[in-house]
Amino acid sequence: MGLDELREEIRKKDEEIVRLIAERTAIAVKVGEEKKRNGLQIRDAKVEESVKARYVAMGSAQGLSEEVMDRVASALIKEAVDAECRVPGAKRAGKAAVIGGAGKMGSWTASFLKESGFDVCVVDPSVDNGLTVKDCAGCDLVVVSVPIDATGKVLDELEQTCRPETLIFDLSSLKSPIAPKLRKMARSMKVCSVHPMFGPSVTSMYGRNLIVCDCGNRQAVDEAVSLFDDKGGNIRVMGLSEHDSYMSYVLGLTHAVNIALFTVLERSGYSFEDLKSVSSTTFNKGLDTNMSVASEDPMLYYEIQHLNSHRDEMWDLFSEAVSELREDSLSDDPKGFVALMDAGREYFRS
């Protein structure tokens, strides 16, 4: 059999694989319907692990690598969970407004709420529908998805507009600038604060993290959690005052490291194409993230760095670590450098 014939055989097998995945996903939809009918959670970590173990065992019996079979199983699980999450549950009777709904994250949220059964309206000056914040008066849910420096003003308007029983939350990446306002509103209104730890390009919440901050109104927290619960994501509830401390490392430090990296590269005198031609596995692994950071909105990233009330703690540790790394790298005694590597290895192991 020649090369073309062999490739044709592979193509036929690919068609068969895709057909089987579609059939498997169709069965998953039925599983989702049963779960919704019986009030069961969509995700089951023990079942997912057993599926992965099954694939690894079956693959091993056929001489296939554990790494590949684990990835195949993970991809199939995600496809199944996404399909199960799309199974409609009980229709939510309610009207929702997304302020800033024409923006990237606002659009994602508006689509998410529509899929959840809400009648959604978008309040955004770039949308020619004549709606303003005052039109949120009759809404059951209002989501604020505007730049950080504009969020406080919108919350002021909502406080004067919405009913006490309306659930209100923002999607700001930082909470320090609006924390006093959120706490004040939460004393008499259903207010909490939400932070999706993913961007608007994601097709589902599977495996993604979402933070719900308690501003002092537990009912608001519980209702916000119920909106996103059972969509395949991981929800973490925390106090409002905790949020920005975490973000100084999860966002601030990560952005800082990446910006520092591409700044050094840009000033190195080597072109990007030149470096790519000799790049290592480690260099390539971080490249996608580094390029993604470089393409983001500079003002958003500036606000994340500048407005975080915990920024100095992170910058002190970062500067100290870089200084120590430089010193240990230049030292003729490797003891300090090895200690840094060992400490990092132990941190991730724990």
Side-chain angles (χ1 to χ4, degrees):
M1 189 178 290
L3 184 58
D4 288 341
E5 289 80 9
L6 289 170
R7 284 174 173 163
E8 177 61 20
E9 287 298 306
I10 287 178
R11 187 192 65 77
K12 290 178 181 178
K13 292 298 181 185
D14 287 341
E15 288 182 352
E16 189 175 344
I17 290 170
V18 171
R19 178 180 58 77
L20 289 172
I21 292 174
E23 291 178 3
R24 186 185 192 279
T25 304
I27 297 172
V29 170
K30 294 180 180 179
V31 171
E33 291 170 349
E34 281 296 307
K35 289 178 178 177
K36 290 285 176 73
R37 232 185 326 267
N38 292 287
L40 301 175
Q41 291 284 316
I42 292 295
R43 290 196 71 180
D44 187 323
K46 289 184 178 179
V47 171
E48 291 181 12
E49 288 305 314
S50 70
V51 170
K52 291 180 184 179
R54 186 168 73 238
Y55 267 79
V56 168
M58 292 188 299
S60 178
Q62 297 294 328
L64 301 174
S65 75
E66 178 178 337
E67 179 186 6
V68 169
M69 295 314 297
D70 185 80
R71 288 183 180 179
V72 168
S74 296
L76 291 174
I77 290 168
K78 179 184 182 303
E79 187 70 18
V81 170
D82 285 350
E84 290 179 35
C85 288
R86 288 193 294 270
V87 173
K91 179 81 172 177
R92 294 180 187 272
K95 182 179 180 182
V98 181
I99 301 174
K104 292 180 180 179
M105 203 64 214
S107 295
W108 184 94
T109 305
S111 297
F112 175 87
L113 294 176
K114 286 176 184 175
E115 291 176 1
S116 299
F118 281 92
D119 176 17
V120 180
C121 67
V122 170
V123 178
D124 195 301
S126 63
V127 177
D128 189 20
N129 59 10
L131 297 179
T132 69
V133 174
K134 294 187 183 302
D135 292 293
C136 299
C139 290
D140 302 287
L141 166 66
V142 179
V143 181
V144 182
S145 181
V146 300
I148 298 170
D149 61 358
T151 302
K153 182 180 178 181
V154 172
L155 290 173
D156 283 337
E157 292 185 67
L158 290 174
E159 186 177 22
Q160 302 302 318
T161 301
C162 293
R163 299 167 296 165
E165 60 268 26
T166 300
L167 174 63
I168 301 172
F169 60 79
D170 68 281
L171 301 179
S172 297
S173 301
L174 290 177
K175 308 303 182 185
S176 301
I178 54 173
K181 185 65 185 179
L182 289 169
R183 289 195 180 95
K184 177 179 178 293
M185 291 177 68
R187 287 198 285 268
S188 57
M189 304 176 75
K190 281 198 304 188
V191 171
C192 64
S193 192
V194 172
H195 187 183
M197 300 304 294
F198 50 85
S201 62
V202 302
T203 55
S204 77
M205 283 185 60
Y206 181 83
R208 310 286 181 174
N209 294 333
L210 182 135
I211 299 171
V212 179
C213 294
D214 189 344
C215 304
N217 189 308
R218 191 65 201 189
Q219 185 180 357
V221 171
D222 292 342
E223 290 189 16
V225 168
S226 72
L227 287 175
F228 299 99
D229 199 19
D230 217 19
K231 297 293 185 182
N234 310 307
I235 299 177
R236 170 78 180 270
V237 176
M238 65 175 61
L240 186 62
S241 59
E242 297 177 80
H243 177 272
D244 284 10
S245 179
Y246 280 103
M247 291 308 108
S248 66
Y249 297 100
V250 173
L251 295 182
L253 176 61
T254 305
H255 295 170
V257 169
N258 277 278
I259 292 169
L261 192 152
F262 66 63
T263 300
V264 171
L265 295 181
E266 188 271 330
R267 296 176 181 177
S268 69
Y270 293 104
S271 71
F272 178 50
E273 288 301 320
D274 191 14
L275 287 174
K276 275 180 63 181
S277 70
V278 295
S279 62
S280 66
T281 302
T282 303
F283 186 89
N284 285 332
K285 278 184 177 179
L287 203 55
D288 286 346
T289 301
N290 206 238
M291 291 171 67
S292 175
V293 169
S295 68
E296 291 291 345
D297 177 6
M299 287 309 299
L300 172 62
Y301 274 41
Y302 170 74
E303 287 182 331
I304 289 173
Q305 295 289 346
H306 183 69
L307 298 178
N308 193 325
S309 61
H310 297 268
R311 64 186 183 184
D312 292 345
E313 304 162 22
M314 181 277 289
W315 276 112
D316 287 345
L317 285 175
F318 185 31
S319 300
E320 179 184 317
V322 171
S323 177
E324 189 175 343
L325 175 59
R326 177 189 173 95
E327 183 179 336
D328 290 337
S329 298
L330 297 177
S331 173
D332 291 331
D333 183 354
K335 187 182 300 182
F337 187 91
V338 171
L340 289 178
M341 295 285 289
D342 287 344
R345 188 179 300 110
E346 185 59 33
Y347 177 80
F348 290 117
R349 184 182 295 133
S350 65

